[in-house]
Amino acid sequence: SPADVRGSILILTIWSICFLSTLAVILGLGVRQKLQLVQRLDERDKLHFAAAAGIKQAIVQTGQDKESTFYSFVDRCADDPSVFKDMEIGDGRVSIRYDFFDDASGQTKVRYGLIDEERKINVNTADTAVMERLFEFLLGGDETRAQDLAAAITDWRDADSELSTPVGSAEDSFYRNLTYNPYEAKDAPLEALDELRLVKDMDANSMEKLKDYLTVFGDGKININTAPKAVLWALGMSTYLADKVMLYRSGKDKALGTADDNVFKSAPNIVSDLSQFTSLSDSEVADLSRIVDQFLKVQSEIFMARAVAHLNNRRNTTEVVAVFNRGGDILYWHEF
């Protein structure tokens, strides 16, 4: 009947509308997901370029101070929010920042600037005794573990397959017999600090405690103006002598990185500068002279920059860690 025909047409029409609506929703979701993907990719590229531009700005700053013969925490590259904080780049901002532990005050602060690699112990050049003292200082005073870990690093980097100490260390034979994913010792200098996680007994907790005091860059000489107390102690300074160096550097307000800081401007004058500031015993003079000749300098040439970029009104961030020298050569780059 005509009524049945009209009813059938109505049902067919409603079904068609529902089908087409469903299809439109599905297509719309697909288009939306693609648009979101394109937006995320665009944001990622913008964040990458912002962070990379921040690193380039840091390189420019170090290049401006090439003529300086010494480097300390009062240097602009060490901490200057007007230069390194919230730099406007494109649609976002980038900050060059790091967490700084002040040995004098015992507080951790955020600073805007660069970390010089010469404040750290170079695991490619440091002798076993220096690493032992550093590890003992930072890993809770466990002398045996410090000795074993230092020996394992020494054997990891040396070219031979002979153990440097009969107990506690490891060479190729140890790593080949690992239960999961066996490998061999590097038998060459480390190229990145992360390689230490492959060394026997270097767990994640120990790595976290040590990473800010170790490097694979530089000639092995330590900048006395920026070295932490743990590093000075590792070089052979007594606790009292290291404290005197820290007091000299921090000035009257006993805070590093302020206008009244004292700076060692010449390596040959380190002993005399400290002697004029505070009394040194004959043994302290002898120890400091030996350590200066063997380990210390007053300048830094290699820097680490941690650039954190974000877009305006966006939560996503990109972080780039780069190591470079004053000449602008990038030695390490990691983006995450």
Side-chain angles (χ1 to χ4, degrees):
S1 66
D4 292 337
V5 172
R6 289 194 294 272
S8 298
I9 293 173
L10 177 61
I11 292 173
L12 182 61
T13 301
I14 294 173
W15 183 88
S16 299
I17 292 173
C18 292
F19 174 77
L20 293 174
S21 298
T22 303
L23 182 62
V25 170
I26 293 173
L27 292 175
L29 288 174
V31 171
R32 181 181 179 184
Q33 290 175 346
K34 291 179 180 179
L35 290 174
Q36 290 176 339
L37 176 61
V38 170
Q39 182 181 10
R40 287 197 296 269
L41 292 174
D42 182 58
E43 289 182 0
R44 187 186 67 178
D45 288 341
K46 289 180 177 179
L47 287 169
H48 165 79
F49 288 120
I55 297 295
K56 291 180 180 179
Q57 173 67 13
I59 293 174
V60 169
Q61 291 298 322
T62 59
Q64 292 178 353
D65 298 325
K66 281 185 178 180
E67 303 304 319
S68 177
T69 58
F70 56 89
Y71 180 85
S72 72
F73 287 122
V74 297
D75 194 287
R76 181 172 58 181
C77 289
D79 184 29
D80 191 344
S82 66
V83 174
F84 296 107
K85 183 179 180 181
D86 289 335
M87 295 179 283
E88 292 187 15
I89 298 176
D91 296 333
R93 295 174 180 270
V94 60
S95 294
I96 308 292
R97 69 190 191 200
Y98 63 99
D99 294 329
F100 173 73
F101 178 75
D102 188 343
D103 287 292
S105 65
Q107 296 179 342
T108 299
K109 306 173 183 177
V110 174
R111 303 190 74 177
Y112 294 90
L114 311 177
I115 299 173
D116 65 300
E117 290 295 291
E118 279 92 334
R119 75 177 67 176
K120 307 172 184 178
I121 298 292
N122 189 327
V123 294
N124 285 326
T125 61
D127 60 40
T128 306
V130 170
M131 289 190 289
E132 283 179 12
R133 288 192 291 267
L134 180 70
F135 299 160
E136 183 179 354
F137 188 95
L138 296 173
L139 298 179
D142 190 336
E143 183 178 355
T144 300
R145 184 160 189 274
Q147 292 174 349
D148 292 348
L149 189 55
I153 293 174
T154 299
D155 284 330
W156 176 266
R157 74 191 187 196
D158 64 21
D160 61 53
S161 296
E162 302 295 327
L163 290 175
S164 59
T165 178
V167 179
S169 187
E171 267 289 357
D172 291 330
S173 59
F174 171 83
Y175 298 109
R176 288 173 188 155
N177 291 309
L178 293 174
T179 304
Y180 301 103
N181 301 320
Y183 48 90
E184 294 190 354
K186 179 73 176 286
D187 295 331
L190 284 74
E191 299 173 61
L193 199 62
D194 292 338
E195 289 182 39
L196 285 177
R197 287 289 281 115
L198 298 173
V199 176
K200 178 188 176 186
D201 292 337
M202 181 62 80
D203 55 46
N205 183 53
S206 298
M207 187 69 179
E208 184 64 25
K209 293 178 180 179
L210 298 174
K211 63 182 179 63
D212 293 333
Y213 299 86
L214 300 174
T215 184
V216 298
F217 303 105
D219 59 5
K221 290 280 189 175
I222 305 297
N223 186 345
I224 190 174
N225 288 313
T226 56
K229 183 178 178 180
V231 170
L232 297 177
W233 192 83
L235 298 180
M237 288 191 190
S238 67
T239 301
Y240 295 113
L241 181 56
D243 285 338
K244 290 178 180 180
V245 172
M246 300 301 292
L247 286 173
Y248 174 86
R249 284 167 34 182
S250 58
K252 292 182 179 180
D253 63 2
K254 298 182 180 181
L256 288 172
T258 56
D260 73 338
D261 284 11
N262 295 309
V263 179
F264 294 104
K265 298 181 179 180
S266 170
N269 294 333
I270 288 175
V271 177
S272 61
D273 288 345
L274 190 60
S275 297
Q276 293 173 14
F277 173 78
T278 185
S279 61
L280 298 178
S281 66
D282 292 342
S283 62
E284 287 177 328
V285 170
D287 288 342
L288 184 57
S289 298
R290 173 183 56 80
I291 293 169
V292 169
D293 291 340
Q294 188 174 357
F295 297 113
L296 297 178
K297 61 181 179 178
V298 298
Q299 177 63 294
S300 293
E301 298 292 338
I302 301 177
F303 301 87
M304 175 186 290
R306 174 175 170 252
V308 180
H310 67 275
L311 300 179
N312 298 329
N313 303 319
R314 294 288 190 275
R315 294 184 179 180
N316 292 339
T317 63
T318 286
E319 182 174 330
V320 170
V321 174
V323 177
F324 50 86
N325 58 28
R326 286 189 185 273
D329 300 318
I330 295 178
L331 309 177
Y332 174 84
W333 184 281
H334 180 61
E335 182 174 337
F336 48 94

